Amino acid sequence: MSRAQITGWGKCLPPAVLTNDDLAAVTDTSDEWIVERTGIRERRISHVHTSELGLVAAKRALAAAGVPADDIGMIVFASASPDVLIPNTASALQKQLGNKDAAAFDLNSGCTGFVYGLKVASDHLSNNPDSPVLLVGAERLTWYLDWTQRDSAVLFGDGAGAAVLQATGGDDGILDNFLGCEAEAREALMIPDFGTAMNRFEPDPTRFELRFDGREIFRHAVKGMARACQQVMERCNTTADDIDIVIPHQANERIIDALADRMGVDRGKVYRNIAKYGNTSAATIPVALTEALEEGRIAPGATILFAAFGAGLTWAAGLMRWGNRIEPLGTSDAELAPCTSTGPELIADAVEFFRRGQSQPA
Ligand code: UT7
């Protein structure tokens, strides 16, 4: 049986840092509260659009796989913060990469986008083994934030990660996925008036809010992810001891710990980099995967469990067996345009705007 294997990986984090102390200077919060309740110490603020973050991560992943862009048969761009709604962002990547014919579409399942994308890639490759997939998770979530809303403003950051998937012809690769959505709770995380629900003819049509019930999401997150993980583990006859590393969505360190405890997985096996980046939504897992490889946390043949939850409220898990290669085949010299501003400088206009009780600036 031929399985889909990740053969290339890459990340792109914008350079400007916003620390908890920077946030405490603009809203009613503290480094102590944020670290204790979330594990986050700092996050990145992007000076470029989401597609540009995704493009750099994609070029790095292609180089790591040693796959020319033109060989890619499908581009999946997982994001809830595309540059524009029409056309999709995957087509922008196709154009920038110089690829001619790949199927290209965006996937919005919120923070589960990368794990949902693994399922799409796996299914595609089982029918089209000669058609590699480029899967990107990229977000510029800070664009949506009201910096005066301390409960949500402290959580999110910008970034991108990418993976190239190819058919292995062997036993390794993606073993199983389990995806779902608990739509009863969909209003716990939403931007209700952005899109065609927006009143275009209001004096200020750009006005929108981020509705957010952190406690409600927390509760559903642990239950939903644990259920998805149990499903894939049962279906693959895998026990907690068989798992070498868990790569979970990075939304809150307490959620990560609660998941590990519920699954009976040693907390030390659970990868975390939330302290550096906060929640980058669909990008957390490919960024974490890339860093786990860079840090030597993934050995050849490792059994990896992915788990995520997000707006919807969607949940997802994926189980895979890594291949033999843990080193990239090549590197890319792709870089973002230089950034000359600091994190606080990049958010200064938005902070001012929301302090005056107005909507998002352009
Ligand atoms: O990936 C999908 C999106 N991710 C999420 O939705 C994250 C899920 N939820 C969470 O991570 C947590 O629920 C939060 C981090 C958002 C909140 O943590 P919590 O332990 O559930 O806090 P809480 O909402 O129960 O609030 C506790 C207190 C409240 O004050 P009172 O009512 O006890 O006086 C809040 O007003 O903490 C207050 N608070 C803050 N204080 C300082 C809430 N946000 C902040 C803040 N700084 N940033």
Side-chain angles (χ1 to χ4, degrees):
M1 178 183 182
S2 182
R3 295 205 162 98
Q5 179 61 276
I6 294 178
T7 56
W9 50 90
K11 62 175 182 175
C12 175
L13 280 310
V17 173
L18 191 74
T19 66
N20 290 346
D21 285 336
D22 293 333
L23 270 169
V26 297
T27 194
D28 181 18
T29 190
S30 65
D31 176 54
E32 193 188 2
W33 190 96
I34 303 170
V35 172
E36 191 185 310
R37 296 296 181 116
T38 71
I40 300 168
R41 292 182 184 276
E42 57 188 43
R43 70 285 295 138
R44 301 293 175 89
I45 308 292
S46 183
H47 61 299
V48 296
H49 297 304
T50 309
S51 64
E52 296 167 65
L53 299 172
L55 179 66
V56 172
K59 285 182 174 171
R60 292 173 179 170
L62 287 164
V67 171
D70 212 30
D71 286 4
I72 294 293
M74 177 182 276
I75 302 173
V76 185
F77 194 87
S79 183
S81 49
D83 310 6
V84 294
L85 284 175
I86 302 172
N88 65 32
T89 318
S91 60
L93 258 64
Q94 193 203 75
K95 186 176 171 191
Q96 299 286 338
L97 290 169
N99 172 293
K100 290 286 176 261
D101 290 318
F105 61 94
D106 292 5
L107 188 162
N108 177 1
S109 61
C111 304
T112 55
F114 187 82
V115 187
Y116 267 55
L118 288 178
K119 164 78 175 149
V120 174
S122 186
D123 289 353
H124 171 77
L125 283 161
S126 70
N127 293 319
N128 307 277
D130 299 326
S131 175
V133 178
L134 172 63
L135 171 60
V136 181
E139 304 275 11
R140 191 186 182 190
L141 284 183
T142 63
W143 186 88
Y144 289 122
L145 296 180
D146 175 349
W147 298 101
T148 63
Q149 271 184 24
R150 65 179 183 175
D151 55 348
S152 50
V154 302
L155 299 179
F156 299 103
D158 302 329
V164 172
L165 289 109
Q166 293 179 269
T168 58
D171 266 359
D172 58 298
I174 296 174
L175 307 176
D176 197 11
N177 309 273
F178 195 68
L179 317 178
C181 177
E182 205 177 336
E184 281 298 313
R186 70 189 292 274
E187 293 185 8
L189 177 53
M190 74 188 306
I191 301 176
D193 43 11
F194 187 68
T196 59
M198 179 185 271
N199 185 345
R200 290 174 60 196
F201 307 108
E202 270 194 348
D204 182 4
T206 59
R207 190 179 182 81
F208 60 84
E209 63 161 328
L210 176 72
R211 198 179 290 166
F212 180 79
D213 183 343
R215 235 183 261 188
E216 176 80 351
I217 303 166
F218 196 121
R219 213 165 46 81
H220 288 282
V222 178
K223 263 182 22 200
M225 280 197 296
R227 185 179 151 214
C229 291
Q230 269 148 8
Q231 277 288 333
V232 289
M233 286 167 64
E234 266 173 43
R235 294 199 308 212
C236 297
N237 288 323
T238 301
T239 67
D241 288 343
D242 299 330
I243 305 288
D244 295 306
I245 183 166
V246 182
I247 302 195
H249 173 46
Q250 312 278 316
N252 185 320
E253 190 132 38
R254 289 185 297 142
I255 294 178
I256 295 173
D257 287 339
L259 175 71
D261 295 350
R262 207 177 249 241
M263 303 295 304
V265 174
D266 186 314
R267 285 187 183 188
K269 285 186 180 177
V270 185
Y271 189 81
R272 46 196 98 205
N273 59 6
I274 188 170
K276 295 187 287 185
Y277 307 130
N279 180 350
T280 56
S281 185
T284 60
I285 289 184
V287 170
L289 173 68
T290 300
E291 296 199 339
L293 282 154
E294 287 168 353
E295 292 164 18
R297 293 277 305 268
I298 295 178
T303 300
I304 306 176
L305 179 65
F306 297 107
F309 70 96
L313 296 174
T314 56
W315 42 260
L319 191 66
M320 75 176 294
R321 187 162 307 119
W322 196 259
N324 284 329
R325 183 166 58 80
I326 51 172
E327 297 292 336
L329 283 178
T331 54
S332 161
D333 57 6
E335 292 290 346
L336 293 176
C339 175
T340 52
S341 305
T342 64
E345 283 166 1
L346 286 171
I347 69 163
D349 286 350
V351 169
E352 191 50 35
F353 217 78
F354 286 110
R355 276 191 177 148
R356 292 201 310 266
Q358 294 178 19
S359 56
Q360 180 82 31

